[in-house]
Amino acid sequence: MASAGGAKAPAYGPAMSVAKLNANENPYGPSPAAIKEAYEATKLGAYYVGASVPMLKAMIAERHGVTPEHISLSAGSSGVLTYIATAAGEKGNILTPDLFWDTTARMGTRHGGEVVRLPKDDGLAIDLDAMYEAITDDIALVQVTNPNNPTGLVLDGEALRAFCKKASRKVTVLVDEAYNELTDKPDYNSMVDLVREGYDVIVARTFSKIYGMAGMRVGYTIASPELTESMIKDYGLGDYAMNQAGVAAAVASYNDLGFLEMSKSRILEAKEMVLEGLSAVGLSALPSATNFMFVDLGDLDAEMFRQKMADRNVLIRGIYRDYTNWSRVSMGRLEHVKMYVDALAPVLEEMRA
């Protein structure tokens, strides 16, 4: 495999000369413990997954005070999110914020239903009152991402909890908590307690973010046993669909608090670097509870900004929908974040020339 310049490109990730800050990955993972167990599992990769799957389900269940029957695994959380959206699309529409990570919702409605978005909010926050008022008879699922992507904003836990209790009496509520472990108060911000209490709520989580396992594809939902059984039976979310090495790595890293704390500290350090760099060039970003930041470029075009950054080997995201002046940047290795910060002034000067 060759790069544009003729040099051989890495097969499994970006070249170290490239600051890959466009996919909310944690480049400090997987943890050493996860790598060790994944290697051992790979040596037995001829076999389908076995005891490791119920082991992982049991670990997740124990932490959250539910049973293993509440847990459904998939290849990243994308799998379960798409299946949930597909099931909802067969019954009606999916109610969402105007701006959120909408890939799985859109995939799920390819053969039925629509994604119904709330009106744009000037502050880019999710208006829970407006969302509740928008629940009509044709809505089969309400989807909330908390913290939200690409904004990085986190809803107050009690406010979201009150909304979910009220809304779930009308319709199933899906809360995508992919970035929950990165927040200051993960337990407070999570809606898993509502699943325990029997509300019609689904919580989705992933090992792709804080655990640094985006390429190893392990995610899960926590939902009622009845709904979980339906997803497994009707949409093929069985154990055989899982990756032997990925599950082994997930088991090894799930309680690896030292690695999680290290990752979180590096992410916080990177965010401080970005905030200081933005301030130095007169820009700002939304307050972020995640491993990425949503940057306000003022009157500049985010797609042109993305292209100019790419010319300097800094990869970031471009325009989302019609939010043309907002740019998302992920927190990567500190040396790569520094590349982003160092490129800000020359790129902005070039764009304003």
Side-chain angles (χ1 to χ4, degrees), residues 297 300-311 316-321 323-328 347 351:
L297 298 176
L300 299 179
D301 181 82
E303 178 57 24
M304 183 180 295
F305 183 67
R306 183 198 66 77
Q307 293 173 5
K308 297 292 185 183
M309 279 290 190
D311 290 342
I316 59 174
R317 283 298 301 263
I319 295 173
Y320 284 85
R321 291 171 51 76
Y323 295 78
T324 56
N325 64 308
W326 288 92
S327 169
R328 195 193 74 183
V347 165
M351 292 180 66

Side-chain angles (χ1 to χ4, degrees), residues 12 29 42 90-91 109 120 126 157 183 189 192 198 218 254 291:
Y12 305 115
T42 300
E90 294 173 352
K91 300 175 183 177
T109 55
K120 182 181 291 188
I126 299 174
T183 67
N189 293 322
V192 173
V218 182
Y254 192 58
N291 63 335

Side-chain angles (χ1 to χ4, degrees), residues 85-86 88-96 100 102 104-117 138-143:
T86 300
E90 294 173 352
K91 300 175 183 177
N93 297 327
I94 302 174
L95 177 64
T96 72
F100 75 113
D102 60 5
T104 56
R106 290 187 290 107
M107 288 176 62
T109 55
R110 285 178 300 182
H111 304 296
E114 298 178 358
V115 176
V116 178
R117 300 174 189 263
D138 63 339
I139 300 298
L141 179 74
V142 172
Q143 181 166 341

Side-chain angles (χ1 to χ4, degrees), residues 125-159:
I126 299 174
D127 187 334
L128 293 176
D129 291 335
M131 180 168 272
Y132 182 77
E133 293 301 321
I135 299 174
T136 54
D137 291 341
D138 63 339
I139 300 298
L141 179 74
V142 172
Q143 181 166 341
V144 178
T145 304
N146 193 49
N148 200 10
N149 178 14
T151 66
L153 297 172
V154 62
L155 290 162
D156 175 74
E158 285 307 314

